[in-house]
Amino acid sequence: MVLRIFFSLLLILPLAVDGQTIETEKQSSRIDGVNATGYQVIIAAPEEDVQSSLARYLKAIGKTKVSGDYVTVAEPLLGGKKYSGILYGTTKRAGNSAAAWIGIAETGEESTFDRDIANLVYGFGISFHREKNQIQIDESLRALQIVEKQQLRLANQNKDLKNRIESNQREKVQLERSVVENKVELEDLTKKLSANHKAQDSVAIATEQIKKVVEMHKQKQQNIKWSSRPVTIPLERI
């Protein structure tokens, strides 16, 4: 997972730092049956991306309306000045790139807005590349966040594993100590058990002997008889 993200970043970074040169070119076009003059800029990007970006860009200078493959802007602000006519914007393929064109209807005279339109087209080229680069920056940041989260997760996992290993080692030492203590205690208990058996045997023998002595004395006791003849005790003994 981490390696995939790393190689993805390697693919993104060259695009993010690749310099772009913006060049505008004066170009006439025919929009909805109207001859129009304006400027175009060639952008190395799919036409669909350029078209959607151009529509967003033109909204900043007036009320836009999408008609087929072109956009119109009613009474746009050009160079800070209000243009009373309609501004047109469209795109077309140019080889592997796309051309974005912005212009106004031809009047047969040099328009005072000519330079403003050229600046507007140039500004779009700048805006498009900045927008594209911002997307790449956002993607790079998201990838960075994923990598950082993965890095944090691995760091926490590393810490947890170290703690578990240390705990396991302490438990191992304690178990080894307990095994030694258990062995000593087992030997001691075994000796005590053996001594207990011997003591029980000795006590059992003594018990039998005492029982015999008791029986012997009982037998003697039974053999003693009282005599019926009086016993004379000499006075000198009194």
Side-chain angles (χ1 to χ4, degrees), residues 23-93:
E23 295 182 355
T24 60
E25 177 186 5
K26 192 164 186 177
Q27 187 81 26
S28 297
S29 183
R30 187 168 180 82
I31 304 293
D32 196 23
V34 177
N35 292 326
T37 183
Y39 288 83
Q40 74 173 15
V41 60
I42 304 298
I43 297 176
E47 184 185 0
E48 294 79 7
D49 294 348
V50 177
Q51 188 177 50
S52 59
S53 181
L54 180 63
R56 291 193 299 272
Y57 178 74
L58 292 177
K59 284 183 179 180
I61 61 172
K63 187 176 181 179
T64 61
K65 180 181 178 181
V66 179
S67 301
D69 59 352
Y70 62 91
V71 180
T72 60
V73 185
E75 299 183 342
L77 286 174
L78 299 176
K81 299 171 289 185
K82 187 175 183 180
Y83 175 67
S84 58
I86 295 177
L87 184 77
Y88 299 95
T90 188
T91 61
K92 64 179 180 180
R93 293 193 179 188

Side-chain angles (χ1 to χ4, degrees), residues 157-180:
Q157 185 183 57
N158 180 272
K159 183 178 179 181
D160 178 66
L161 289 172
K162 284 183 178 179
N163 289 336
R164 291 172 62 183
I165 288 174
E166 291 176 0
S167 176
N168 185 272
Q169 288 175 337
R170 288 193 298 269
E171 185 177 356
K172 179 175 179 290
V173 171
Q174 183 62 38
L175 288 173
E176 289 173 346
R177 186 183 294 116
S178 297
V179 168
V180 173

Side-chain angles (χ1 to χ4, degrees), residues 87-193:
L87 184 77
Y88 299 95
T90 188
T91 61
K92 64 179 180 180
R93 293 193 179 188
N96 294 328
S97 301
W101 178 90
I102 299 175
I104 57 176
E106 291 182 353
T107 60
E109 298 179 1
E110 184 70 22
S111 173
T112 57
F113 292 98
D114 187 75
R115 185 174 181 81
D116 296 324
I117 294 173
N119 290 335
L120 187 65
V121 173
Y122 181 82
F124 170 69
I126 295 294
S127 174
F128 179 86
H129 287 295
R130 284 180 176 174
E131 187 179 74
K132 179 181 177 183
N133 287 339
Q134 186 60 50
I135 291 174
Q136 293 172 343
I137 290 172
D138 293 342
E139 290 176 349
S140 299
L141 289 175
R142 283 193 294 270
L144 178 61
Q145 289 175 350
I146 293 173
V147 171
E148 287 177 340
K149 286 182 180 179
Q150 181 76 352
Q151 186 179 33
L152 179 61
R153 188 185 70 80
L154 291 174
N156 290 335
Q157 185 183 57
N158 180 272
K159 183 178 179 181
D160 178 66
L161 289 172
K162 284 183 178 179
N163 289 336
R164 291 172 62 183
I165 288 174
E166 291 176 0
S167 176
N168 185 272
Q169 288 175 337
R170 288 193 298 269
E171 185 177 356
K172 179 175 179 290
V173 171
Q174 183 62 38
L175 288 173
E176 289 173 346
R177 186 183 294 116
S178 297
V179 168
V180 173
E181 293 175 352
N182 181 268
K183 182 179 179 181
V184 172
E185 184 179 8
L186 177 62
E187 292 175 352
D188 183 59
L189 291 173
T190 302
K191 290 178 181 179
K192 287 182 178 180
L193 179 62

